[in-house]
Amino acid sequence: MCGIVGYIGDKEAYPILIKGLKRLEYRGYDSAGVAILNDVVKLYKKKGKVSDLENFVATNDIHGKVGIGHTRWATHGEPNDANAHPHFSMNKDFVIIHNGIIENYAKLKDDLTAKGYTFKSETDTEVLANLIEYIYRKRDISAELAIRMALSRVQGAYGLVVMCKNEPDKLIAARKGSPLVIGIGKGEYYIASDATPIVEYTKSVIYLNDNDIAVVSRNELKLKTIQDKALTPNVQELSLDVGELDKGGFDHFMLKEIYEQPKAITDTFRGRITPDHKDIQLGGMLDIWPKMLQSRRIIIIACGTSWHAGLVGEYLFEEFARMPVEVEYGSEFRYRNPIIYEDDVVIAISQSGETADTLAAIKLAKEAGATVIGICNVVGSSIPRETDGGVYTHAGPEIGVASTKAFTAQVTVLTMMALKLAQLKGSISSHQLDELIDQMVLIPGKIESVLEKNEKIFGIAEKYKNSSNALYLGRGFLFPVALEGALKLKEISYIHAEGYPAAEMKHGPIALIDENMPVFVVATKDSSYEKIVSNIQEVKARNGKVIAVVTHGDEVIKSMADHFIEVPECSEYLAPLLTTIPLQLLSYHIAVMRGCNVDQPRNLAKSVTVE
Ligand code: G6P
């Protein structure tokens, strides 16, 4: 949420900042700005996309080798030019970019106003800029000390980068709650919210931890805590490849990522399924399995699409490992005084590894003594660093704001985890385990054949692109797929959509059904097949339009539905991995037909680092 980029070195800063902001735009895209220090600070900011900023800057002088840039997702203050970052302090000693929320900003603002400070924006960030300047001027101290003193008075979360007019050969970065990574070049440093703006210049990076402050000049990086304790930087090598960060010939990142799912799933089980398909090995779980075997309960914590993957996980763990599972929204769990036992195993699922509510919830669970593990996609992000173990999804960078390949990769990891735990508990026969592993390995190929239905799905999308509402139904393992299908549609096409367990339709949503209401039913052949056939009849009896995702060759539902999309036959436990794909494509096409920006839907952001 909000993208931060900074550069200090011997190259022109502006092209690096703009390119970096474009890479980070998935984090926020309501306004953007840059500030370059070259004797004086030149600051340009604009409401809108990074390209709007670029057009605005085009004819201006923007030379300089030290600078900062920001792309915003508004929290305090509407998206407009004034509220865009960077923010000057009142006397322009400092210029700052910030991600996060300063919770006590109102009190700090009142104090500063009483001291004669005025404000040009409604942001909490400008309050921080002025607080730093006030301390700096009053005490006549270094910029670094002023920043550390100011941050010790701040409540809330921040990832920030500051430039000081009087100390022009320096960038100062600090983190509490919002990620920052520093790239180390030759006589140059890069600072960013994630590694995507950095990877084409250097693979050596340092991830800041909460409470760290880094003072960076061309040839030196000093790392310390806000309390002035020196730290030794832990330099890591990025495995990210710059080629993964473009659209690869697709019109949108989302479409590319939908098509990448066979590879994402293959990469997620690579090296984890033994060549004879008889065993699953998850390196990050070796110390965790004994605790899981002792534990009486699993708690899955996540937000958004990751929460839907968590629901599939609940069904899998219960089915195979016979373990009770609770699936929680991070935001609800953290604030409702939950009961956490020391023998609980908490699984945090997060594509970004940075979602603030998920992160806070797992910190709470850790404090209560539970074992906490992560299923994350971004290597080196905060959740994997906070957890006792876990498993990375190897889906590759996901840039489209609506999550697609991360979801199927998360479900893949959960399937492997549930099967392995079941094996360790002895709650699955070796025959069933072998059979399911064999079937899992076939899933990427089966997804390829679902992707081949794209043209048909496009045709269905054309028929329903003007709908105002939609209902998604599924049962059992396919209920979370219905929720995810509805979420995809509403996020990117702005059509109101609800996901429901098919049988629950009778308790409310059935009242909405008429000849204008498309009802997407996920109804492959499984143990509740007969029941969902009845639910389809209930919809048809009320003239609803049924679009069904069915098992290849299912003549019964095909004869009842208005439209159908066939997926290959597979185990009901693996069906979420196949049935999700046509719903992703449907939403994608409908959104494109409606002229929506599918990669950057309004009001959303990919990485939600504020609560
Ligand atoms: C945002 C994104 C969603 C994502 C959710 C959770 O809302 O737009 O796509 O599912 O955050 O993010 P996480 O990174 O924790 O999976």
Side-chain angles (χ1 to χ4, degrees), residues 78 139 192 210 283 325 346-347 431 438 522 565 581:
E78 64 168 287
R139 304 213 171 205
D210 276 354
V325 181
V346 172
I347 304 176
H431 173 71
D438 281 345
V522 198
I565 304 156
I581 314 291

Side-chain angles (χ1 to χ4, degrees), residues 1 26 29 301-308 348-359 375-378 383 398 400-404 406-407 410 484 487-488 491 601 604-609:
M1 194 149 271
Y26 72 88
Y29 34 81
I301 298 175
C303 302
T305 289
S306 299
W307 188 85
H308 294 155
I349 308 175
S350 173
Q351 188 285 129
S352 63
E354 301 291 351
T355 301
D357 284 319
T358 307
L359 198 50
I375 298 178
C376 298
N377 195 41
V378 178
I383 291 175
E398 191 181 66
V401 165
S403 187
T404 51
F407 173 78
Q410 288 162 347
E484 177 58 10
L487 177 62
K488 283 296 82 94
E491 303 186 277
L604 296 177
K606 179 105 192 122
S607 182
V608 181
T609 53

